Amino acid sequence: MKSKFYLFLLLAFISTGLKAATNTAIVNGGNWSSAGTWSLARIPANGDNIVISAGYTVIFDNSSSLNGVTINISGTLNFSQNNTLALDAASTVIIGSGGSITATHATPNELLTIAGKTKYDGKNDGTITGPAEATAATGSSPTGFTNIVLPVTFVSFSANRSNDAVQLIWNTTNEINNSHFEVERSADGTNWETIGEVAAGTSSLADSYTYTDESAPSAQTQYRICQIDVNGNFIYSTIVLVSGTQTTTAQPTIIASGKTISIFPANASGNRLFVRVITISGQVLQQQSFETASARIDLTVSTSTVGVYVVQVTDGSQWSVAKKVML
């Protein structure tokens, strides 16, 4: 895999020029200090790329100091009482579209600092939503985070195996100066290889892409998409996991009527589903999780603006499906 510098997930530019760390800690939801919260089965360490995926909340429940990390928040990072996350000057925090940093029980001691400078103060800053980033070069609370323009917004990403091949499908919006995509796979979530390249589309609103891995390993495999812009900066999609045995993932049916979206899960038993309503420009208008999916889910959309929206339904790990609807 060729070297890439700057930017992991949603970052537009990192001035230090350090190579992205190898280890990627993906969140499953839970307390920061619990090893079971993270895909690497340990709490985040120096040099990690830390990803809080959409639909998940991490409770920052124990003060910690980390160096050389990138924290990408598409879900929620929630500070609990009297805890500080202290990062060094080589670290970056990125809040993606639909992501947030908040403090449920705000106290003066709930802090996020970079190089000794307070970027988030739970007592005074409330909730900060993305897309935004904080680095050593940005200001101090309450302006510790600055708004950023994402080169591409990933709406959805899914993978399905058929015999020895795996088909990848991803949807995007807001493509700005997009050069191309690289498809990467991994057997362990740590070591990644580039297996293919897909040319960028031409739409500034929405595009859909596919790639088939004809030589997919027979074992369980992880995939991600790396988007590279014309200046060489890049962002990553979320990671999807494909089973090592032949699987056919049944997708839910999505129907819109007025301001109500009805979702009919293909297999309701034991599923935890996440539903997001996204504007065509990539802004997350509404999101909700369902711990146990019934045979039908009805979601009323709180908008008075008539237009085209994207409805994304995902189980948060192995598959994601999106559909354009008129509301």
Side-chain angles (χ1 to χ4, degrees):
M1 172 181 169
K2 69 179 185 180
S3 296
K4 301 184 182 82
F5 294 86
Y6 313 93
L7 200 67
F8 175 83
L9 194 61
L10 300 173
L11 184 59
F13 181 72
I14 300 177
S15 60
T16 57
L18 295 176
K19 183 177 180 180
T22 300
N23 292 329
T24 302
I26 307 295
V27 70
N28 298 309
N31 290 332
W32 182 287
S33 64
S34 173
T37 296
W38 308 97
S39 63
L40 297 179
R42 61 164 173 78
I43 63 174
N46 293 339
D48 278 349
N49 289 316
I50 303 165
V51 179
I52 300 177
S53 302
Y56 291 106
T57 296
V58 171
I59 305 297
F60 190 75
D61 61 330
N62 191 26
S63 292
S64 178
S65 297
L66 292 171
N67 298 327
V69 299
T70 302
I71 303 177
N72 302 274
I73 305 169
S74 294
T76 300
L77 177 60
N78 189 344
F79 280 79
S80 62
Q81 291 182 340
N82 301 319
N83 289 303
T84 298
L85 176 57
L87 308 178
D88 72 343
S91 298
T92 303
V93 180
I94 310 105
I95 309 174
S97 297
S100 64
I101 291 180
T102 191
T104 302
H105 305 289
T107 71
N109 298 320
E110 293 176 348
L111 304 174
L112 167 65
T113 68
I114 298 179
K117 184 187 299 184
T118 298
K119 304 297 178 177
Y120 173 75
D121 182 329
K123 180 68 173 179
N124 299 312
D125 294 346
T127 299
I128 299 177
T129 58
E133 69 174 358
T135 68
T138 58
S140 298
S141 169
T143 58
F145 281 80
T146 60
N147 295 331
I148 57 175
V149 177
L150 307 179
V152 166
T153 299
F154 284 98
V155 175
S156 66
F157 178 35
S158 62
N160 292 284
R161 180 186 291 275
S162 177
N163 297 320
D164 296 328
V166 171
Q167 184 182 47
L168 308 177
I169 303 173
W170 64 99
N171 295 280
T172 67
T173 61
N174 279 356
E175 293 195 18
I176 304 171
N177 297 324
N178 185 12
S179 172
H180 64 279
F181 299 92
E182 291 185 354
V183 181
E184 301 181 4
R185 73 183 179 197
S186 173
D188 56 12
T190 297
N191 301 297
W192 293 87
E193 62 173 329
T194 300
I195 61 172
E197 184 174 306
V198 177
T202 58
S203 173
S204 61
L205 296 178
D207 263 312
S208 181
Y209 300 89
T210 63
Y211 179 87
T212 301
D213 183 4
E214 300 286 359
S215 59
S218 58
Q220 178 177 279
T221 306
Q222 298 181 49
Y223 291 88
R224 68 186 182 188
I225 305 299
C226 179
Q227 178 276 328
I228 303 175
D229 68 21
V230 295
N231 297 319
N233 295 330
F234 65 95
I235 61 174
Y236 279 111
S237 70
T238 56
I239 295 172
V240 295
L241 178 68
V242 177
S243 172
T245 58
Q246 180 177 350
T247 59
T248 301
T249 303
Q251 305 296 329
T253 300
I254 302 171
I255 299 175
S257 177
K259 298 299 180 183
T260 300
I261 297 171
S262 296
I263 300 164
F264 299 87
N267 181 9
S269 177
N271 285 341
R272 183 187 187 198
L273 297 183
F274 305 94
V275 181
R276 295 202 299 173
V277 181
I278 306 167
T279 67
I280 202 66
S281 63
Q283 178 185 1
V284 177
L285 179 67
Q286 195 168 330
Q287 62 182 0
Q288 186 172 343
S289 65
F290 300 86
E291 294 295 335
T292 301
S294 61
R296 172 173 175 166
I297 297 170
D298 289 322
L299 180 66
T300 301
V301 181
S302 56
T303 180
S304 59
T305 304
V306 176
V308 177
Y309 296 83
V310 175
V311 179
Q312 179 192 31
V313 183
T314 178
D315 69 347
S317 60
Q318 296 195 40
W319 61 266
S320 175
V321 62
K323 180 181 179 180
K324 292 181 183 178
V325 299
M326 176 65 73
L327 297 175

